Amino acid sequence: MCWHPTAPILYAVSELDQGQVTALAVSDGGELDVLASIHAGGPTSCWVTSDPVGSALLVANYDEIDSGLAAFTTIRLGADGLFTGEVTVSRQPGAGPDEERQRTSHIHQVVPTPYGTVLATDLGADAIWEYRVDPDAVVSLSRIALPTARGPRPSALSSDRSTGFLLGELPEPHPVNRRAAADGPTADKHVPSAGRPGPPPDPASPSHHVTCLLAPRRLLHHTRPRTLLHIYL
């Protein structure tokens, strides 16, 4: 789920065979009222976020049954925060060495940057795809290659947007890795966890989500179905 940047509207994505996004009005008392729903542009939609100005929703569709290409979808919003009906589906080919998890492209998360671009994390292709969302088009810019068999899934940007954090889950959960612009295009640095040592990585509990907190400065890493919360300074 995600909020509209300015309007009291909440957007929820449904991970169905035909994924959809629903807009809900939120009253001052917290009551929810369904405003509209729209097809998400692909199956098993698993992530939705708004661009910084609220002109579009960015959706990750994990699978694509027909073409084998997972989709990143841009859903345009009007000034009132409701769907205009204009939907753009962007697909990229990809595969990795893991025959079970990387037979095809699998877009898991979409993150907007302050530079007008969008980063789509592809677990199947061991890559991040970069797009530019223009008022009338979505333009593919580049493919950022990651180490083979990493299986990138959740990602997050620091508050100043100079550093990115990425978690992989293949062949087993990987530690958080950090990449900053000053480090160079291929420099990943392991981020040690703060606090008490936890249990060893569990292949049955892949990385599920990562987020940055502004104050205090912390990075939170959540795994499932064995629920663990790792905190990084």
Side-chain angles (χ1 to χ4, degrees), residues 32-79:
L32 300 178
D33 184 29
V34 175
L35 298 175
S37 294
I38 191 171
H39 186 252
T44 56
S45 305
C46 60
W47 182 267
V48 61
T49 191
S50 170
D51 71 356
V53 297
S55 64
L57 292 179
L58 312 170
V59 181
N61 300 299
Y62 189 75
D63 286 320
E64 179 54 74
I65 298 173
D66 296 329
S67 66
L69 305 179
F72 148 57
T73 304
T74 304
I75 301 175
R76 305 289 178 171
L77 301 175

Short mmCIF file of all heavy atoms in Angstrom, two decimals, residues 32-79:
data_model
loop_
_atom_site.label_atom_id
_atom_site.label_comp_id
_atom_site.label_asym_id
_atom_site.label_seq_id
_atom_site.Cartn_x
_atom_site.Cartn_y
_atom_site.Cartn_z
N LEU A 32 -12.50 3.78 5.72
CA LEU A 32 -12.08 3.61 4.33
C LEU A 32 -13.29 3.47 3.43
O LEU A 32 -14.27 2.81 3.77
CB LEU A 32 -11.21 2.36 4.19
CG LEU A 32 -9.91 2.33 4.99
CD1 LEU A 32 -9.18 1.00 4.77
CD2 LEU A 32 -9.00 3.49 4.62
N ASP A 33 -13.23 4.10 2.25
CA ASP A 33 -14.30 4.02 1.26
C ASP A 33 -13.66 3.79 -0.10
O ASP A 33 -12.81 4.57 -0.54
CB ASP A 33 -15.11 5.32 1.25
CG ASP A 33 -16.28 5.25 0.30
OD1 ASP A 33 -16.81 4.14 0.09
OD2 ASP A 33 -16.67 6.31 -0.25
N VAL A 34 -14.04 2.69 -0.75
CA VAL A 34 -13.47 2.37 -2.06
C VAL A 34 -13.94 3.39 -3.09
O VAL A 34 -15.14 3.61 -3.27
CB VAL A 34 -13.87 0.95 -2.50
CG1 VAL A 34 -13.37 0.67 -3.91
CG2 VAL A 34 -13.29 -0.09 -1.54
N LEU A 35 -12.98 4.01 -3.77
CA LEU A 35 -13.28 5.00 -4.80
C LEU A 35 -13.28 4.40 -6.20
O LEU A 35 -14.16 4.68 -7.00
CB LEU A 35 -12.25 6.14 -4.74
CG LEU A 35 -12.20 6.94 -3.44
CD1 LEU A 35 -11.04 7.94 -3.49
CD2 LEU A 35 -13.52 7.66 -3.21
N ALA A 36 -12.28 3.57 -6.49
CA ALA A 36 -12.15 2.99 -7.83
C ALA A 36 -11.09 1.91 -7.82
O ALA A 36 -10.23 1.87 -6.93
CB ALA A 36 -11.80 4.07 -8.85
N SER A 37 -11.16 1.02 -8.82
CA SER A 37 -10.14 0.00 -9.02
C SER A 37 -9.75 -0.02 -10.49
O SER A 37 -10.54 0.37 -11.36
CB SER A 37 -10.64 -1.39 -8.60
OG SER A 37 -10.87 -1.45 -7.21
N ILE A 38 -8.52 -0.48 -10.76
CA ILE A 38 -8.04 -0.53 -12.13
C ILE A 38 -7.10 -1.71 -12.27
O ILE A 38 -6.43 -2.11 -11.30
CB ILE A 38 -7.33 0.80 -12.51
CG1 ILE A 38 -7.07 0.87 -14.01
CG2 ILE A 38 -6.02 0.95 -11.73
CD1 ILE A 38 -6.57 2.25 -14.48
N HIS A 39 -7.06 -2.31 -13.47
CA HIS A 39 -6.15 -3.42 -13.72
C HIS A 39 -4.71 -2.93 -13.63
O HIS A 39 -4.38 -1.85 -14.12
CB HIS A 39 -6.42 -4.04 -15.09
CG HIS A 39 -5.62 -5.27 -15.36
ND1 HIS A 39 -4.57 -5.29 -16.27
CD2 HIS A 39 -5.69 -6.51 -14.83
CE1 HIS A 39 -4.05 -6.50 -16.29
NE2 HIS A 39 -4.70 -7.26 -15.43
N ALA A 40 -3.84 -3.73 -13.01
CA ALA A 40 -2.46 -3.32 -12.75
C ALA A 40 -1.52 -3.59 -13.92
O ALA A 40 -0.32 -3.31 -13.80
CB ALA A 40 -1.94 -4.02 -11.51
N GLY A 41 -2.01 -4.15 -15.00
CA GLY A 41 -1.16 -4.36 -16.16
C GLY A 41 -0.45 -5.70 -16.19
O GLY A 41 0.34 -5.96 -17.09
N GLY A 42 -0.72 -6.58 -15.21
CA GLY A 42 -0.09 -7.89 -15.19
C GLY A 42 -0.56 -8.68 -13.99
O GLY A 42 -1.28 -8.16 -13.13
N PRO A 43 -0.16 -9.95 -13.90
CA PRO A 43 -0.56 -10.79 -12.77
C PRO A 43 0.38 -10.64 -11.58
O PRO A 43 1.47 -10.11 -11.69
CB PRO A 43 -0.49 -12.20 -13.35
CG PRO A 43 0.61 -12.10 -14.36
CD PRO A 43 0.56 -10.71 -14.93
N THR A 44 -0.07 -11.16 -10.43
CA THR A 44 0.68 -11.17 -9.17
C THR A 44 1.35 -9.82 -8.90
O THR A 44 2.55 -9.74 -8.65
CB THR A 44 1.72 -12.30 -9.15
OG1 THR A 44 2.59 -12.19 -10.28
CG2 THR A 44 1.05 -13.66 -9.16
N SER A 45 0.55 -8.77 -8.94
CA SER A 45 1.06 -7.43 -8.61
C SER A 45 1.43 -7.40 -7.13
O SER A 45 0.64 -7.79 -6.28
CB SER A 45 0.00 -6.39 -8.91
OG SER A 45 -0.43 -6.50 -10.25
N CYS A 46 2.65 -6.95 -6.83
CA CYS A 46 3.15 -7.10 -5.46
C CYS A 46 3.64 -5.81 -4.84
O CYS A 46 4.03 -5.80 -3.66
CB CYS A 46 4.26 -8.14 -5.43
SG CYS A 46 5.68 -7.74 -6.47
N TRP A 47 3.66 -4.71 -5.58
CA TRP A 47 4.21 -3.46 -5.03
C TRP A 47 3.57 -2.27 -5.72
O TRP A 47 3.38 -2.28 -6.94
CB TRP A 47 5.73 -3.41 -5.24
CG TRP A 47 6.38 -2.19 -4.66
CD1 TRP A 47 6.65 -1.02 -5.30
CD2 TRP A 47 6.84 -2.01 -3.32
NE1 TRP A 47 7.26 -0.12 -4.46
CE2 TRP A 47 7.37 -0.71 -3.23
CE3 TRP A 47 6.85 -2.83 -2.20
CZ2 TRP A 47 7.93 -0.21 -2.05
CZ3 TRP A 47 7.39 -2.33 -1.01
CH2 TRP A 47 7.93 -1.04 -0.96
N VAL A 48 3.22 -1.24 -4.95
CA VAL A 48 2.72 -0.01 -5.52
C VAL A 48 3.28 1.16 -4.72
O VAL A 48 3.39 1.10 -3.49
CB VAL A 48 1.16 0.02 -5.51
CG1 VAL A 48 0.61 -0.07 -4.10
CG2 VAL A 48 0.64 1.29 -6.21
N THR A 49 3.65 2.20 -5.42
CA THR A 49 4.10 3.43 -4.78
C THR A 49 3.75 4.59 -5.69
O THR A 49 3.50 4.42 -6.90
CB THR A 49 5.62 3.40 -4.50
OG1 THR A 49 5.98 4.50 -3.67
CG2 THR A 49 6.42 3.49 -5.80
N SER A 50 3.71 5.79 -5.13
CA SER A 50 3.40 6.98 -5.91
C SER A 50 4.69 7.69 -6.29
O SER A 50 5.70 7.61 -5.57
CB SER A 50 2.51 7.92 -5.10
OG SER A 50 2.39 9.17 -5.74
N ASP A 51 4.66 8.39 -7.42
CA ASP A 51 5.79 9.24 -7.72
C ASP A 51 5.75 10.44 -6.75
O ASP A 51 4.75 10.66 -6.06
CB ASP A 51 5.79 9.67 -9.18
CG ASP A 51 4.69 10.66 -9.53
OD1 ASP A 51 3.87 10.99 -8.65
OD2 ASP A 51 4.64 11.12 -10.69
N PRO A 52 6.83 11.21 -6.65
CA PRO A 52 6.90 12.26 -5.62
C PRO A 52 5.82 13.32 -5.71
O PRO A 52 5.48 13.93 -4.68
CB PRO A 52 8.29 12.86 -5.84
CG PRO A 52 9.10 11.77 -6.46
CD PRO A 52 8.13 11.04 -7.34
N VAL A 53 5.26 13.57 -6.89
CA VAL A 53 4.28 14.65 -7.03
C VAL A 53 2.85 14.15 -7.15
O VAL A 53 1.92 14.94 -7.28
CB VAL A 53 4.62 15.55 -8.25
CG1 VAL A 53 5.97 16.22 -8.03
CG2 VAL A 53 4.63 14.74 -9.54
N GLY A 54 2.65 12.84 -7.13
CA GLY A 54 1.31 12.30 -7.19
C GLY A 54 0.68 12.32 -8.56
O GLY A 54 -0.55 12.31 -8.68
N SER A 55 1.50 12.28 -9.61
CA SER A 55 0.95 12.26 -10.96
C SER A 55 0.80 10.85 -11.52
O SER A 55 0.14 10.66 -12.55
CB SER A 55 1.86 13.07 -11.90
OG SER A 55 3.14 12.47 -12.00
N ALA A 56 1.42 9.86 -10.85
CA ALA A 56 1.35 8.48 -11.34
C ALA A 56 1.63 7.51 -10.22
O ALA A 56 2.36 7.81 -9.26
CB ALA A 56 2.36 8.27 -12.47
N LEU A 57 1.05 6.31 -10.35
CA LEU A 57 1.39 5.19 -9.50
C LEU A 57 2.35 4.28 -10.24
O LEU A 57 2.25 4.10 -11.46
CB LEU A 57 0.14 4.40 -9.10
CG LEU A 57 -0.86 5.07 -8.19
CD1 LEU A 57 -2.03 4.14 -7.93
CD2 LEU A 57 -0.23 5.52 -6.88
N LEU A 58 3.28 3.68 -9.51
CA LEU A 58 4.28 2.78 -10.07
C LEU A 58 4.05 1.41 -9.46
O LEU A 58 4.09 1.25 -8.24
CB LEU A 58 5.68 3.29 -9.75
CG LEU A 58 5.92 4.78 -10.04
CD1 LEU A 58 7.24 5.23 -9.46
CD2 LEU A 58 5.84 5.06 -11.53
N VAL A 59 3.80 0.40 -10.31
CA VAL A 59 3.40 -0.92 -9.85
C VAL A 59 4.37 -1.98 -10.36
O VAL A 59 4.77 -1.95 -11.52
CB VAL A 59 1.97 -1.26 -10.33
CG1 VAL A 59 1.54 -2.64 -9.84
CG2 VAL A 59 0.98 -0.19 -9.88
N ALA A 60 4.74 -2.91 -9.48
CA ALA A 60 5.56 -4.06 -9.87
C ALA A 60 4.66 -5.28 -9.99
O ALA A 60 3.91 -5.60 -9.06
CB ALA A 60 6.65 -4.31 -8.83
N ASN A 61 4.73 -5.96 -11.14
CA ASN A 61 4.00 -7.20 -11.38
C ASN A 61 5.01 -8.33 -11.43
O ASN A 61 5.83 -8.41 -12.35
CB ASN A 61 3.21 -7.12 -12.69
CG ASN A 61 2.21 -5.99 -12.67
OD1 ASN A 61 1.30 -5.97 -11.86
ND2 ASN A 61 2.38 -5.03 -13.57
N TYR A 62 4.96 -9.22 -10.44
CA TYR A 62 6.03 -10.20 -10.25
C TYR A 62 6.11 -11.23 -11.37
O TYR A 62 7.20 -11.64 -11.77
CB TYR A 62 5.82 -10.90 -8.91
CG TYR A 62 6.97 -11.79 -8.50
CD1 TYR A 62 8.15 -11.23 -8.01
CD2 TYR A 62 6.89 -13.17 -8.60
CE1 TYR A 62 9.21 -12.03 -7.63
CE2 TYR A 62 7.94 -13.98 -8.21
CZ TYR A 62 9.10 -13.40 -7.73
OH TYR A 62 10.16 -14.20 -7.36
N ASP A 63 4.99 -11.65 -11.90
CA ASP A 63 4.98 -12.68 -12.94
C ASP A 63 4.28 -12.16 -14.19
O ASP A 63 3.51 -11.22 -14.16
CB ASP A 63 4.24 -13.94 -12.47
CG ASP A 63 5.05 -14.74 -11.47
OD1 ASP A 63 6.27 -14.86 -11.66
OD2 ASP A 63 4.46 -15.22 -10.50
N GLU A 64 4.57 -12.83 -15.30
CA GLU A 64 3.85 -12.59 -16.55
C GLU A 64 3.65 -13.94 -17.21
O GLU A 64 4.59 -14.51 -17.78
CB GLU A 64 4.60 -11.63 -17.47
CG GLU A 64 3.89 -11.36 -18.78
CD GLU A 64 2.46 -10.89 -18.60
OE1 GLU A 64 2.23 -9.76 -18.20
OE2 GLU A 64 1.56 -11.72 -18.84
N ILE A 65 2.45 -14.47 -17.10
CA ILE A 65 2.18 -15.84 -17.51
C ILE A 65 2.34 -16.03 -19.02
O ILE A 65 2.92 -17.00 -19.49
CB ILE A 65 0.76 -16.25 -17.07
CG1 ILE A 65 0.66 -16.20 -15.53
CG2 ILE A 65 0.42 -17.65 -17.57
CD1 ILE A 65 -0.73 -16.41 -15.01
N ASP A 66 1.86 -15.09 -19.80
CA ASP A 66 1.84 -15.28 -21.25
C ASP A 66 3.19 -15.06 -21.90
O ASP A 66 3.68 -15.90 -22.65
CB ASP A 66 0.80 -14.34 -21.87
CG ASP A 66 -0.61 -14.67 -21.41
OD1 ASP A 66 -0.87 -15.86 -21.15
OD2 ASP A 66 -1.44 -13.75 -21.29
N SER A 67 3.83 -13.92 -21.62
CA SER A 67 5.05 -13.57 -22.35
C SER A 67 6.32 -14.01 -21.64
O SER A 67 7.39 -14.07 -22.26
CB SER A 67 5.11 -12.05 -22.54
OG SER A 67 5.27 -11.39 -21.29
N GLY A 68 6.26 -14.32 -20.33
CA GLY A 68 7.46 -14.64 -19.59
C GLY A 68 8.25 -13.42 -19.18
O GLY A 68 9.34 -13.53 -18.64
N LEU A 69 7.70 -12.23 -19.43
CA LEU A 69 8.37 -10.98 -19.08
C LEU A 69 7.56 -10.28 -18.00
O LEU A 69 6.41 -9.91 -18.21
CB LEU A 69 8.49 -10.06 -20.30
CG LEU A 69 9.16 -10.64 -21.55
CD1 LEU A 69 9.18 -9.61 -22.66
CD2 LEU A 69 10.58 -11.08 -21.23
N ALA A 70 8.14 -10.11 -16.82
CA ALA A 70 7.44 -9.40 -15.76
C ALA A 70 7.30 -7.93 -16.15
O ALA A 70 8.06 -7.40 -16.96
CB ALA A 70 8.19 -9.53 -14.44
N ALA A 71 6.32 -7.26 -15.56
CA ALA A 71 5.97 -5.91 -16.01
C ALA A 71 6.10 -4.89 -14.90
O ALA A 71 5.77 -5.15 -13.74
CB ALA A 71 4.55 -5.90 -16.56
N PHE A 72 6.57 -3.72 -15.27
CA PHE A 72 6.48 -2.53 -14.45
C PHE A 72 5.41 -1.66 -15.09
O PHE A 72 5.44 -1.35 -16.27
CB PHE A 72 7.84 -1.82 -14.39
CG PHE A 72 7.78 -0.32 -14.27
CD1 PHE A 72 7.10 0.27 -13.22
CD2 PHE A 72 8.40 0.50 -15.20
CE1 PHE A 72 7.04 1.65 -13.10
CE2 PHE A 72 8.36 1.86 -15.09
CZ PHE A 72 7.67 2.45 -14.03
N THR A 73 4.42 -1.24 -14.29
CA THR A 73 3.27 -0.52 -14.83
C THR A 73 3.21 0.89 -14.26
O THR A 73 3.40 1.10 -13.06
CB THR A 73 1.95 -1.25 -14.48
OG1 THR A 73 2.02 -2.59 -14.97
CG2 THR A 73 0.76 -0.55 -15.10
N THR A 74 2.94 1.85 -15.13
CA THR A 74 2.72 3.23 -14.73
C THR A 74 1.24 3.55 -14.91
O THR A 74 0.70 3.42 -16.01
CB THR A 74 3.55 4.20 -15.59
OG1 THR A 74 4.93 3.82 -15.51
CG2 THR A 74 3.39 5.63 -15.11
N ILE A 75 0.57 3.93 -13.83
CA ILE A 75 -0.85 4.27 -13.84
C ILE A 75 -0.98 5.76 -13.57
O ILE A 75 -0.64 6.24 -12.48
CB ILE A 75 -1.64 3.46 -12.80
CG1 ILE A 75 -1.48 1.95 -13.08
CG2 ILE A 75 -3.10 3.86 -12.78
CD1 ILE A 75 -2.12 1.07 -12.02
N ARG A 76 -1.45 6.50 -14.54
CA ARG A 76 -1.55 7.96 -14.40
C ARG A 76 -2.68 8.35 -13.46
O ARG A 76 -3.74 7.73 -13.43
CB ARG A 76 -1.75 8.60 -15.77
CG ARG A 76 -0.69 8.24 -16.81
CD ARG A 76 0.65 8.88 -16.52
NE ARG A 76 1.66 8.48 -17.50
CZ ARG A 76 2.87 9.03 -17.58
NH1 ARG A 76 3.23 9.97 -16.72
NH2 ARG A 76 3.73 8.61 -18.49
N LEU A 77 -2.43 9.43 -12.70
CA LEU A 77 -3.42 9.96 -11.77
C LEU A 77 -3.81 11.38 -12.15
O LEU A 77 -2.98 12.15 -12.66
CB LEU A 77 -2.85 9.97 -10.34
CG LEU A 77 -2.41 8.63 -9.75
CD1 LEU A 77 -1.76 8.86 -8.38
CD2 LEU A 77 -3.58 7.67 -9.65
N GLY A 78 -5.06 11.72 -11.90
CA GLY A 78 -5.52 13.08 -12.11
C GLY A 78 -5.19 13.96 -10.91
O GLY A 78 -4.64 13.49 -9.91
N ALA A 79 -5.56 15.23 -11.00
CA ALA A 79 -5.29 16.16 -9.91
C ALA A 79 -6.01 15.77 -8.63
O ALA A 79 -5.58 16.12 -7.52
CB ALA A 79 -5.69 17.58 -10.33
#
